[in-house]
Amino acid sequence: MNKAYEVTFSPFRAFTREEWSKLEEHPMFPVSDIDLTKLQALNEPLTLDEVEDIYIPMIRLLQIHLTHYRNLHNERDQFFSNTSKPIPYIIGIAGSVAVGKSTTARVLQKLLSMTPEQPKVELITTDGFLYPNEELERRGLLNKKGFPESYDAKQLLAFLASVKSGRDTFEVPVYSHLYYDVMQGQMQIIERPDILIVEGINVLQVSPGKKMRRRVFVSDFFDFSVYVDASEKDLREWYIERFKKLQQTAFQDPNSYFHRYASYSEKNLLKFANKVWEEINLPNLQQNILPTRFRADLILEKGECHFVRGIRIRKI
């Protein structure tokens, strides 16, 4: 197929970083008052320029979508001659391991909560819906943690269905990266959110496997979705750099699941990190995560050092 044809008829509109930052007047936030260190994750730099150039225009775009969402709710109530309580607006954030999804999610949560409407914005990750390690071991899936089959999809779908049903209070399983496991008996309580952000590598996937015949998918419950993208080369580099930093920090805790690697030499640590990337993270990226990229409404294209170099927006 002719490349010009492909570009002309793409379902996405592409923006360079400079073009994106110059869109219509952005909502004014006291960005300088935000403690960026509380939003960024390990080895994921976040600057005021990144917030102002990339995330503030995203918030303006989301405000447009939210306004239409609320108007639609009101007009439907008028049509049906009834009064119903608003249903949470759900934003999904997907992307590879080490791409910076958690930072994107926290920045959006913070900025959305600062808009004039001051909505209550909650954030969950799908890590809590992983099967516990004991169950993963029983199923022979411990080395495929993060693959679609390692999640309790029924539980995640039931949670999202309850959010969209209008319930007021929800419980979300808690995952500990220190213990590398779901914490039995611990729950994150969410009450009456206006906006719910759902972050996870698996949230845009629609092919759960041959043995599973679900016809409802996680993304069916999203009102807006974001895919955080980067090259395989950068992702590998970021993952390994993060692993090295974790050895110096979290792995030093005797309670850490990965404490055994705290004393590894740099050579052995790099060998192990590369093995995990090659045997687990890269296959999951190529087989399950990357194919979902163009299902998103917005794609953040990252370059070196985690900074966004371009944005794609689905046309409507």
Side-chain angles (χ1 to χ4, degrees):
M1 182 180 289
N2 183 279
K3 289 185 177 180
Y5 181 91
E6 290 179 346
V7 172
T8 301
F9 292 95
S10 168
F12 289 86
R13 181 178 178 184
F15 295 85
T16 65
R17 181 188 180 97
E18 183 178 9
E19 289 170 340
W20 182 255
S21 67
K22 292 180 178 178
L23 292 176
E24 70 170 270
E25 184 179 355
H26 310 321
M28 299 301 293
F29 293 100
V31 176
S32 59
D33 295 338
I34 300 174
D35 185 352
L36 298 183
T37 62
K38 293 183 178 180
L39 303 179
Q40 67 190 70
L42 186 67
N43 205 41
E44 294 175 16
L46 179 65
T47 65
L48 287 176
D49 284 344
E50 192 76 354
V51 173
E52 292 174 342
D53 292 348
I54 304 301
Y55 289 104
I56 295 298
M58 279 183 68
I59 296 302
R60 175 61 186 131
L61 178 65
L62 284 168
Q63 282 184 295
I64 293 171
H65 281 261
L66 283 160
T67 297
H68 284 277
Y69 181 79
R70 294 175 185 127
N71 289 341
L72 178 61
H73 174 269
N74 294 334
E75 289 174 6
R76 282 170 63 96
D77 270 0
Q78 291 177 15
F79 179 77
F80 291 113
S81 300
N82 71 348
T83 301
S84 62
K85 59 184 176 182
I87 302 299
Y89 188 88
I90 302 182
I91 301 171
I93 300 179
S96 171
V97 169
V99 77
K101 298 182 302 302
S102 60
T103 294
T104 294
R106 284 192 291 267
V107 172
L108 291 183
Q109 180 187 27
K110 179 65 175 179
L111 293 179
L112 283 168
S113 68
M114 295 172 65
T115 56
E117 298 81 5
Q118 295 187 320
K120 183 177 182 180
V121 188
E122 296 283 3
L123 167 63
I124 71 159
T125 72
T126 57
D127 291 342
F129 294 93
L130 284 160
Y131 287 115
N133 287 351
E134 183 179 358
E135 179 64 16
L136 290 174
E137 288 180 355
R138 189 185 71 79
R139 298 183 180 216
L141 294 173
L142 192 57
N143 287 333
K144 299 196 77 174
K145 206 169 192 178
F147 281 66
E149 57 267 36
S150 67
Y151 291 87
D152 187 340
K154 289 184 179 179
Q155 185 184 25
L156 177 55
L157 288 169
F159 163 75
L160 292 170
S162 68
V163 173
K164 282 299 189 182
S165 72
R167 283 179 52 186
D168 290 334
T169 305
F170 321 100
E171 292 185 347
V172 181
V174 173
Y175 184 86
S176 169
H177 288 280
L178 178 67
Y179 294 102
Y180 193 60
D181 203 356
V182 178
M183 303 305 292
Q184 297 299 315
Q186 293 189 26
M187 291 287 177
Q188 175 186 355
I189 306 300
I190 296 177
E191 296 182 349
R192 295 181 291 278
D194 297 301
I195 301 171
L196 177 67
I197 299 174
V198 180
E199 178 251 306
I201 61 177
N202 63 322
V203 296
L204 293 178
Q205 292 166 0
V206 295
S207 301
K210 296 180 180 178
K211 295 182 180 180
M212 301 176 70
R213 300 185 178 278
R214 287 186 284 108
R215 290 294 180 266
V216 179
F217 304 103
V218 171
S219 58
D220 291 340
F221 296 94
F222 294 163
D223 299 293
F224 194 89
S225 56
V226 178
Y227 184 94
V228 187
D229 194 21
S231 70
E232 289 183 11
K233 175 180 176 294
D234 284 336
L235 289 170
R236 175 197 289 267
E237 179 182 321
W238 297 341
Y239 174 76
I240 293 173
E241 285 301 313
R242 185 176 72 178
F243 208 86
K244 288 165 63 177
K245 286 195 174 182
L246 284 169
Q247 185 196 36
Q248 301 165 9
T249 53
F251 293 177
Q252 298 297 321
D253 188 329
N255 293 316
S256 171
Y257 178 88
F258 296 99
H259 182 63
R260 73 195 83 170
Y261 306 116
S263 59
Y264 268 34
S265 66
E266 183 176 356
K267 179 180 178 181
N268 287 336
L269 187 76
L270 291 177
K271 181 179 179 181
F272 176 74
N274 276 291
K275 177 181 173 66
V276 172
W277 179 262
E278 288 288 343
E279 296 182 1
I280 300 176
N281 294 329
L282 183 58
N284 197 19
L285 171 65
Q286 294 175 336
Q287 297 168 21
N288 301 308
I289 304 169
L290 192 58
T292 72
R293 173 176 51 184
F294 292 111
R295 299 193 68 247
D297 296 301
L298 183 149
I299 302 172
L300 289 177
E301 299 175 337
K302 285 190 171 185
E304 295 180 357
C305 301
H306 279 279
F307 297 126
V308 174
R309 65 185 180 188
I311 294 92
R312 296 194 196 191
I313 293 289
R314 183 176 296 278
K315 297 174 182 176
I316 57 173

Coordinates of all heavy atoms in Angstrom, one line a residue, residues 51-127:
V51 N 5.4 18.8 32.2 CA 4.1 19.0 32.7 C 3.4 20.0 31.9 O 2.2 19.9 31.4 CB 4.1 19.4 34.2 CG1 2.7 19.8 34.6 CG2 4.6 18.2 35.0
E52 N 4.1 21.2 31.6 CA 3.5 22.3 30.9 C 3.3 22.0 29.4 O 2.2 22.3 28.8 CB 4.3 23.5 31.1 CG 4.3 24.0 32.5 CD 5.2 25.2 32.8 OE1 6.1 25.4 31.9 OE2 5.1 25.9 33.8
D53 N 4.3 21.3 28.8 CA 4.2 21.1 27.3 C 3.3 19.9 27.0 O 2.7 19.9 25.9 CB 5.6 20.9 26.8 CG 6.5 22.2 26.9 OD1 5.9 23.2 27.1 OD2 7.7 22.0 26.7
I54 N 3.3 18.9 27.8 CA 2.6 17.7 27.4 C 1.3 17.4 28.2 O 0.3 17.2 27.6 CB 3.6 16.4 27.6 CG1 4.9 16.6 26.8 CG2 2.8 15.2 27.3 CD1 4.7 16.8 25.3
Y55 N 1.4 17.5 29.5 CA 0.3 17.1 30.4 C -0.8 18.2 30.5 O -2.0 17.9 30.5 CB 0.8 16.7 31.7 CG 1.5 15.4 31.7 CD1 2.9 15.3 31.8 CD2 0.8 14.2 31.5 CE1 3.6 14.1 31.7 CE2 1.5 13.0 31.5 CZ 2.8 12.9 31.6 OH 3.5 11.7 31.5
I56 N -0.4 19.5 30.5 CA -1.5 20.5 30.6 C -2.4 20.5 29.3 O -3.6 20.5 29.5 CB -0.8 21.9 30.7 CG1 -0.1 22.0 32.1 CG2 -1.9 23.0 30.6 CD1 -1.0 21.8 33.3
P57 N -1.8 20.3 28.1 CA -2.7 20.2 26.9 C -3.6 18.9 27.0 O -4.8 18.9 26.6 CB -1.8 20.1 25.7 CG -0.6 20.9 26.2 CD -0.4 20.6 27.7
M58 N -3.0 17.8 27.6 CA -3.8 16.6 27.8 C -5.0 16.9 28.7 O -6.1 16.4 28.5 CB -2.9 15.5 28.4 CG -2.1 14.8 27.4 SD -1.2 13.4 28.1 CE -2.5 12.3 28.5
I59 N -4.8 17.6 29.8 CA -5.9 17.9 30.7 C -6.9 18.8 30.0 O -8.1 18.5 30.2 CB -5.3 18.7 31.9 CG1 -4.3 17.8 32.7 CG2 -6.5 19.2 32.8 CD1 -5.0 16.5 33.2
R60 N -6.5 19.7 29.2 CA -7.5 20.5 28.4 C -8.4 19.6 27.5 O -9.6 19.8 27.4 CB -6.8 21.6 27.6 CG -7.7 22.4 26.7 CD -8.8 23.2 27.5 NE -9.7 23.8 26.6 CZ -11.0 23.7 26.7 NH1 -11.6 23.0 27.7 NH2 -11.8 24.4 25.9
L61 N -7.7 18.7 26.8 CA -8.4 17.8 26.0 C -9.4 16.9 26.8 O -10.6 16.7 26.4 CB -7.5 16.9 25.2 CG -8.1 15.8 24.3 CD1 -8.8 16.4 23.2 CD2 -7.0 14.9 23.8
L62 N -8.9 16.4 27.9 CA -9.8 15.6 28.8 C -11.0 16.4 29.4 O -12.1 15.9 29.5 CB -9.0 15.0 29.9 CG -8.1 13.8 29.5 CD1 -7.1 13.4 30.6 CD2 -9.0 12.6 29.2
Q63 N -10.7 17.7 29.6 CA -11.8 18.5 30.1 C -12.9 18.6 29.0 O -14.1 18.6 29.4 CB -11.3 19.9 30.4 CG -10.6 20.0 31.8 CD -10.2 21.5 32.0 OE1 -9.4 22.1 31.3 NE2 -10.8 22.0 33.1
I64 N -12.5 18.7 27.8 CA -13.5 18.7 26.7 C -14.3 17.4 26.7 O -15.6 17.5 26.6 CB -12.8 18.9 25.3 CG1 -12.2 20.3 25.3 CG2 -13.8 18.7 24.2 CD1 -11.3 20.5 24.1
H65 N -13.7 16.3 26.8 CA -14.4 15.0 26.8 C -15.2 14.9 28.1 O -16.4 14.4 28.0 CB -13.3 13.9 26.8 CG -12.8 13.6 25.4 ND1 -13.2 12.6 24.6 CD2 -11.8 14.2 24.7 CE1 -12.5 12.6 23.5 NE2 -11.7 13.6 23.5
L66 N -14.8 15.3 29.2 CA -15.5 15.3 30.4 C -16.8 16.1 30.4 O -17.9 15.7 30.9 CB -14.7 15.7 31.6 CG -13.7 14.6 32.1 CD1 -12.6 15.3 32.9 CD2 -14.4 13.6 32.9
T67 N -16.7 17.3 29.8 CA -17.8 18.2 29.6 C -18.9 17.5 28.8 O -20.1 17.6 29.2 CB -17.4 19.5 29.0 OG1 -16.5 20.2 29.9 CG2 -18.6 20.4 28.8
H68 N -18.5 16.9 27.7 CA -19.5 16.3 26.8 C -20.1 15.0 27.5 O -21.3 14.7 27.4 CB -18.8 15.9 25.5 CG -18.7 17.0 24.6 ND1 -19.7 17.5 23.7 CD2 -17.6 17.8 24.3 CE1 -19.2 18.5 23.0 NE2 -18.0 18.7 23.4
Y69 N -19.3 14.4 28.3 CA -19.7 13.2 29.1 C -20.8 13.6 30.1 O -21.9 13.0 30.2 CB -18.6 12.6 29.8 CG -18.9 11.3 30.6 CD1 -19.0 10.1 30.0 CD2 -19.0 11.4 32.0 CE1 -19.3 8.9 30.7 CE2 -19.2 10.3 32.8 CZ -19.4 9.0 32.1 OH -19.6 7.9 32.9
R70 N -20.6 14.7 30.8 CA -21.6 15.2 31.8 C -22.8 15.7 31.1 O -23.9 15.5 31.6 CB -20.9 16.3 32.6 CG -19.8 15.8 33.5 CD -19.1 17.0 34.2 NE -18.0 16.5 35.0 CZ -16.8 17.1 34.9 NH1 -16.5 18.1 34.1 NH2 -15.8 16.6 35.7
N71 N -22.6 16.4 30.0 CA -23.8 16.9 29.2 C -24.7 15.8 28.7 O -25.9 15.8 28.7 CB -23.4 17.8 28.1 CG -22.8 19.1 28.5 OD1 -23.1 19.6 29.7 ND2 -22.1 19.8 27.7
L72 N -24.0 14.7 28.2 CA -24.7 13.5 27.7 C -25.5 12.9 28.9 O -26.7 12.5 28.7 CB -23.8 12.5 27.1 CG -24.4 11.2 26.6 CD1 -25.4 11.5 25.5 CD2 -23.3 10.3 26.1
H73 N -24.9 12.8 30.1 CA -25.6 12.3 31.2 C -26.9 13.1 31.5 O -28.0 12.5 31.8 CB -24.7 12.3 32.4 CG -25.4 11.8 33.7 ND1 -26.0 12.8 34.6 CD2 -25.6 10.6 34.3 CE1 -26.5 12.1 35.6 NE2 -26.2 10.8 35.4
N74 N -26.8 14.4 31.5 CA -27.9 15.3 31.8 C -29.0 15.2 30.8 O -30.2 15.1 31.1 CB -27.4 16.7 32.0 CG -26.5 16.9 33.2 OD1 -26.6 16.2 34.2 ND2 -25.7 17.9 33.1
E75 N -28.6 15.1 29.5 CA -29.6 15.0 28.4 C -30.3 13.7 28.4 O -31.5 13.6 28.1 CB -28.9 15.3 27.1 CG -28.4 16.7 26.9 CD -27.6 16.9 25.6 OE1 -27.5 15.9 24.8 OE2 -27.1 18.0 25.4
R76 N -29.6 12.6 28.8 CA -30.3 11.3 28.9 C -31.3 11.3 30.0 O -32.4 10.8 29.9 CB -29.2 10.2 29.1 CG -28.5 9.8 27.8 CD -27.3 8.9 28.1 NE -27.8 7.7 28.7 CZ -28.0 6.5 28.0 NH1 -27.8 6.5 26.7 NH2 -28.4 5.4 28.6
D77 N -30.9 12.0 31.1 CA -31.9 12.1 32.2 C -33.1 12.8 31.8 O -34.2 12.4 32.2 CB -31.2 12.8 33.4 CG -30.5 11.8 34.4 OD1 -30.5 10.6 34.1 OD2 -29.9 12.3 35.4
Q78 N -32.9 13.9 31.0 CA -34.1 14.6 30.5 C -34.9 13.8 29.6 O -36.2 13.8 29.7 CB -33.6 15.9 29.8 CG -33.0 16.9 30.8 CD -32.5 18.1 30.0 OE1 -32.8 18.3 28.8 NE2 -31.6 19.0 30.6
F79 N -34.3 13.0 28.8 CA -35.0 12.2 27.8 C -35.8 11.1 28.5 O -37.0 10.9 28.1 CB -34.0 11.5 26.8 CG -34.6 10.6 25.8 CD1 -35.2 11.2 24.7 CD2 -34.6 9.3 26.0 CE1 -35.8 10.3 23.7 CE2 -35.1 8.4 25.0 CZ -35.7 9.0 23.9
F80 N -35.2 10.5 29.5 CA -35.9 9.5 30.2 C -36.8 10.0 31.4 O -37.4 9.2 32.2 CB -35.0 8.4 30.8 CG -34.3 7.6 29.7 CD1 -32.9 7.7 29.4 CD2 -35.1 6.7 28.9 CE1 -32.3 7.0 28.4 CE2 -34.5 6.0 27.9 CZ -33.1 6.1 27.7
S81 N -36.8 11.3 31.6 CA -37.6 11.9 32.6 C -37.3 11.4 34.0 O -38.2 11.0 34.8 CB -39.1 11.8 32.3 OG -39.4 12.4 31.1
N82 N -36.0 11.2 34.3 CA -35.6 10.8 35.6 C -34.3 11.5 36.0 O -33.7 12.2 35.3 CB -35.4 9.2 35.6 CG -34.2 8.8 34.9 OD1 -33.6 9.6 34.1 ND2 -33.8 7.5 35.0
T83 N -33.9 11.2 37.3 CA -32.7 11.8 37.8 C -31.8 10.6 38.3 O -32.2 9.9 39.2 CB -33.0 12.7 39.0 OG1 -33.8 13.8 38.5 CG2 -31.7 13.3 39.5
S84 N -30.6 10.5 37.7 CA -29.7 9.5 38.1 C -28.4 10.1 38.6 O -28.0 11.2 38.1 CB -29.5 8.5 36.9 OG -28.9 9.2 35.8
K85 N -27.7 9.4 39.4 CA -26.4 9.9 39.9 C -25.4 9.7 38.8 O -25.4 8.7 38.1 CB -26.0 9.3 41.2 CG -25.9 7.8 41.2 CD -25.6 7.3 42.6 CE -25.5 5.8 42.6 NZ -25.2 5.3 44.0
P86 N -24.4 10.6 38.7 CA -23.4 10.5 37.7 C -22.5 9.2 37.9 O -22.3 8.7 39.0 CB -22.5 11.7 37.9 CG -23.4 12.7 38.6 CD -24.3 11.8 39.5
I87 N -22.1 8.6 36.7 CA -21.3 7.4 36.7 C -19.8 7.9 36.5 O -19.6 8.7 35.7 CB -21.7 6.5 35.6 CG1 -23.2 6.1 35.8 CG2 -20.8 5.2 35.6 CD1 -23.5 5.3 37.0
P88 N -18.9 7.3 37.2 CA -17.5 7.7 37.1 C -17.0 7.6 35.7 O -17.3 6.7 34.9 CB -16.7 6.7 38.0 CG -17.7 6.3 39.0 CD -19.0 6.3 38.3
Y89 N -16.2 8.6 35.3 CA -15.5 8.6 34.0 C -14.2 7.8 34.2 O -13.4 8.1 35.0 CB -15.2 10.0 33.6 CG -14.7 10.2 32.2 CD1 -15.6 10.4 31.1 CD2 -13.3 10.3 32.0 CE1 -15.1 10.7 29.8 CE2 -12.8 10.5 30.7 CZ -13.7 10.7 29.6 OH -13.3 10.9 28.4
I90 N -14.0 6.8 33.3 CA -12.9 5.9 33.5 C -11.8 6.1 32.4 O -12.1 6.1 31.2 CB -13.3 4.4 33.5 CG1 -14.3 4.1 34.6 CG2 -12.0 3.5 33.7 CD1 -14.7 2.7 34.8
I91 N -10.6 6.4 32.8 CA -9.5 6.6 31.9 C -8.5 5.4 32.1 O -8.1 5.1 33.2 CB -8.7 7.9 32.2 CG1 -9.6 9.1 32.1 CG2 -7.5 8.0 31.3 CD1 -9.0 10.4 32.6
G92 N -8.2 4.7 31.0 CA -7.3 3.6 31.0 C -5.9 4.0 30.5 O -5.8 4.8 29.6
I93 N -4.8 3.6 31.2 CA -3.5 3.9 30.8 C -2.7 2.6 30.6 O -2.5 1.8 31.6 CB -2.8 4.8 31.8 CG1 -3.5 6.1 31.9 CG2 -1.3 5.1 31.4 CD1 -2.9 7.1 32.9
A94 N -2.2 2.4 29.4 CA -1.5 1.1 29.1 C -0.1 1.4 28.6 O 0.3 2.6 28.3 CB -2.3 0.3 28.0
G95 N 0.7 0.4 28.5 CA 2.1 0.5 28.0 C 3.0 -0.6 28.6 O 2.6 -1.3 29.5
S96 N 4.2 -0.6 28.1 CA 5.1 -1.7 28.5 C 5.6 -1.5 30.0 O 5.5 -0.4 30.6 CB 6.4 -1.7 27.6 OG 7.4 -2.5 28.1
V97 N 6.2 -2.5 30.5 CA 7.0 -2.4 31.7 C 8.1 -1.4 31.5 O 8.7 -1.3 30.4 CB 7.6 -3.8 32.1 CG1 8.7 -3.6 33.2 CG2 6.6 -4.8 32.4
A98 N 8.3 -0.5 32.5 CA 9.4 0.5 32.5 C 9.1 1.7 31.6 O 10.0 2.5 31.5 CB 10.7 -0.2 32.2
V99 N 8.0 1.8 31.0 CA 7.7 2.9 30.1 C 7.3 4.2 30.8 O 7.5 5.3 30.2 CB 6.7 2.5 29.0 CG1 5.3 2.6 29.6 CG2 6.8 3.4 27.8
G100 N 6.9 4.1 32.0 CA 6.5 5.3 32.8 C 5.0 5.5 32.9 O 4.5 6.6 33.1
K101 N 4.2 4.4 32.9 CA 2.8 4.5 33.0 C 2.4 5.1 34.3 O 1.4 5.9 34.4 CB 2.1 3.1 32.9 CG 2.3 2.4 31.6 CD 1.6 1.1 31.5 CE 2.0 0.1 32.6 NZ 3.5 -0.2 32.6
S102 N 3.0 4.7 35.4 CA 2.7 5.1 36.7 C 2.9 6.6 36.9 O 2.0 7.3 37.6 CB 3.4 4.3 37.8 OG 4.8 4.5 37.7
T103 N 3.9 7.1 36.3 CA 4.1 8.6 36.4 C 3.0 9.3 35.6 O 2.5 10.3 36.1 CB 5.5 9.0 35.8 OG1 6.5 8.4 36.7 CG2 5.7 10.5 35.7
T104 N 2.7 8.8 34.4 CA 1.6 9.5 33.6 C 0.3 9.4 34.4 O -0.4 10.4 34.5 CB 1.5 8.7 32.3 OG1 2.6 8.9 31.5 CG2 0.2 9.2 31.5
A105 N 0.0 8.3 35.0 CA -1.2 8.2 35.8 C -1.3 9.1 37.0 O -2.3 9.8 37.2 CB -1.4 6.7 36.3
R106 N -0.2 9.3 37.7 CA -0.2 10.1 38.9 C -0.2 11.6 38.5 O -0.9 12.4 39.1 CB 1.1 9.9 39.7 CG 1.0 8.6 40.6 CD 2.1 8.5 41.6 NE 3.4 8.3 41.0 CZ 4.0 7.2 40.8 NH1 3.3 6.1 41.2 NH2 5.2 7.1 40.3
V107 N 0.4 12.0 37.4 CA 0.4 13.4 36.9 C -1.1 13.7 36.5 O -1.6 14.8 36.8 CB 1.3 13.6 35.7 CG1 1.1 15.0 35.1 CG2 2.8 13.5 36.2
L108 N -1.7 12.8 35.7 CA -3.1 13.1 35.3 C -4.0 13.1 36.5 O -4.9 14.0 36.6 CB -3.6 12.0 34.4 CG -2.9 12.0 33.0 CD1 -3.5 10.9 32.1 CD2 -3.0 13.3 32.3
Q109 N -3.8 12.3 37.5 CA -4.6 12.3 38.7 C -4.5 13.7 39.4 O -5.5 14.3 39.8 CB -4.3 11.2 39.6 CG -5.1 11.2 40.9 CD -4.6 10.2 41.9 OE1 -3.4 9.8 42.0 NE2 -5.5 9.7 42.8
K110 N -3.3 14.1 39.6 CA -3.0 15.4 40.3 C -3.6 16.6 39.5 O -4.3 17.4 40.1 CB -1.5 15.6 40.4 CG -1.1 16.9 41.1 CD -1.6 16.9 42.6 CE -1.1 18.1 43.3 NZ -1.6 18.1 44.7
L111 N -3.4 16.6 38.2 CA -3.8 17.8 37.5 C -5.3 17.8 37.3 O -6.0 18.9 37.3 CB -3.1 17.8 36.1 CG -1.6 18.1 36.1 CD1 -1.0 18.1 34.7 CD2 -1.3 19.4 36.8
L112 N -5.9 16.7 37.0 CA -7.4 16.6 36.9 C -8.1 17.1 38.2 O -9.1 17.7 38.1 CB -7.8 15.2 36.5 CG -7.6 14.8 35.1 CD1 -7.9 13.3 34.9 CD2 -8.6 15.6 34.1
S113 N -7.5 16.7 39.3 CA -8.1 17.1 40.6 C -8.0 18.6 40.8 O -8.7 19.1 41.7 CB -7.5 16.3 41.7 OG -6.1 16.7 41.9
M114 N -7.1 19.3 40.1 CA -6.9 20.7 40.3 C -7.7 21.5 39.3 O -7.7 22.8 39.3 CB -5.4 21.0 40.1 CG -4.5 20.4 41.1 SD -2.7 20.6 40.7 CE -2.6 22.4 40.8
T115 N -8.5 20.9 38.4 CA -9.3 21.7 37.5 C -10.4 22.4 38.2 O -10.7 22.0 39.4 CB -9.9 20.8 36.4 OG1 -10.6 19.7 37.0 CG2 -8.8 20.2 35.5
P116 N -11.0 23.4 37.6 CA -12.0 24.2 38.4 C -13.2 23.4 39.0 O -13.7 23.8 40.1 CB -12.6 25.1 37.3 CG -11.5 25.3 36.3 CD -10.8 24.0 36.3
E117 N -13.6 22.3 38.4 CA -14.6 21.4 39.0 C -14.2 20.7 40.2 O -15.0 20.2 41.0 CB -15.1 20.4 37.9 CG -15.8 21.1 36.7 CD -14.7 21.5 35.7 OE1 -13.5 21.2 35.9 OE2 -15.1 22.1 34.7
Q118 N -12.8 20.6 40.4 CA -12.2 19.9 41.5 C -12.9 18.5 41.7 O -13.4 18.1 42.8 CB -12.3 20.7 42.8 CG -11.6 22.0 42.8 CD -11.5 22.7 44.1 OE1 -12.5 22.7 44.8 NE2 -10.4 23.2 44.5
P119 N -12.8 17.7 40.7 CA -13.4 16.3 40.8 C -12.6 15.4 41.7 O -11.4 15.7 41.9 CB -13.3 15.8 39.3 CG -12.1 16.5 38.7 CD -12.2 17.9 39.3
K120 N -13.2 14.4 42.2 CA -12.5 13.4 43.0 C -11.9 12.4 42.1 O -12.7 11.7 41.4 CB -13.4 12.8 44.0 CG -12.7 11.8 44.9 CD -13.7 11.2 46.0 CE -12.9 10.2 46.9 NZ -13.8 9.6 47.9
V121 N -10.6 12.3 42.0 CA -9.9 11.4 41.0 C -9.2 10.3 41.8 O -8.3 10.6 42.6 CB -8.9 12.2 40.2 CG1 -8.4 11.3 39.0 CG2 -9.6 13.5 39.6
E122 N -9.6 9.1 41.5 CA -9.0 7.9 42.1 C -8.1 7.2 41.1 O -8.4 7.3 39.9 CB -10.0 7.0 42.7 CG -10.8 7.6 43.8 CD -10.1 7.6 45.2 OE1 -8.9 7.3 45.2 OE2 -10.7 8.0 46.2
L123 N -7.1 6.5 41.6 CA -6.2 5.8 40.7 C -6.0 4.4 41.3 O -5.7 4.2 42.5 CB -4.8 6.5 40.7 CG -3.6 5.8 40.1 CD1 -3.8 5.4 38.6 CD2 -2.3 6.6 40.3
I124 N -6.1 3.4 40.4 CA -5.8 2.0 40.7 C -4.9 1.4 39.7 O -4.8 1.9 38.5 CB -7.1 1.1 40.8 CG1 -7.7 0.9 39.5 CG2 -8.1 1.7 41.8 CD1 -8.6 -0.4 39.4
T125 N -4.1 0.4 40.1 CA -3.3 -0.4 39.1 C -3.9 -1.8 39.0 O -4.5 -2.3 40.0 CB -1.9 -0.4 39.5 OG1 -1.7 -1.3 40.6 CG2 -1.3 1.0 39.9
T126 N -3.7 -2.4 37.9 CA -4.2 -3.8 37.7 C -3.4 -4.8 38.4 O -3.7 -6.0 38.4 CB -4.4 -4.1 36.2 OG1 -3.1 -4.0 35.6 CG2 -5.4 -3.2 35.5
D127 N -2.2 -4.4 39.0 CA -1.4 -5.3 39.7 C -2.1 -6.1 40.8 O -1.9 -7.2 41.1 CB -0.2 -4.6 40.3 CG 0.8 -4.0 39.3 OD1 0.8 -4.5 38.2 OD2 1.6 -3.2 39.7

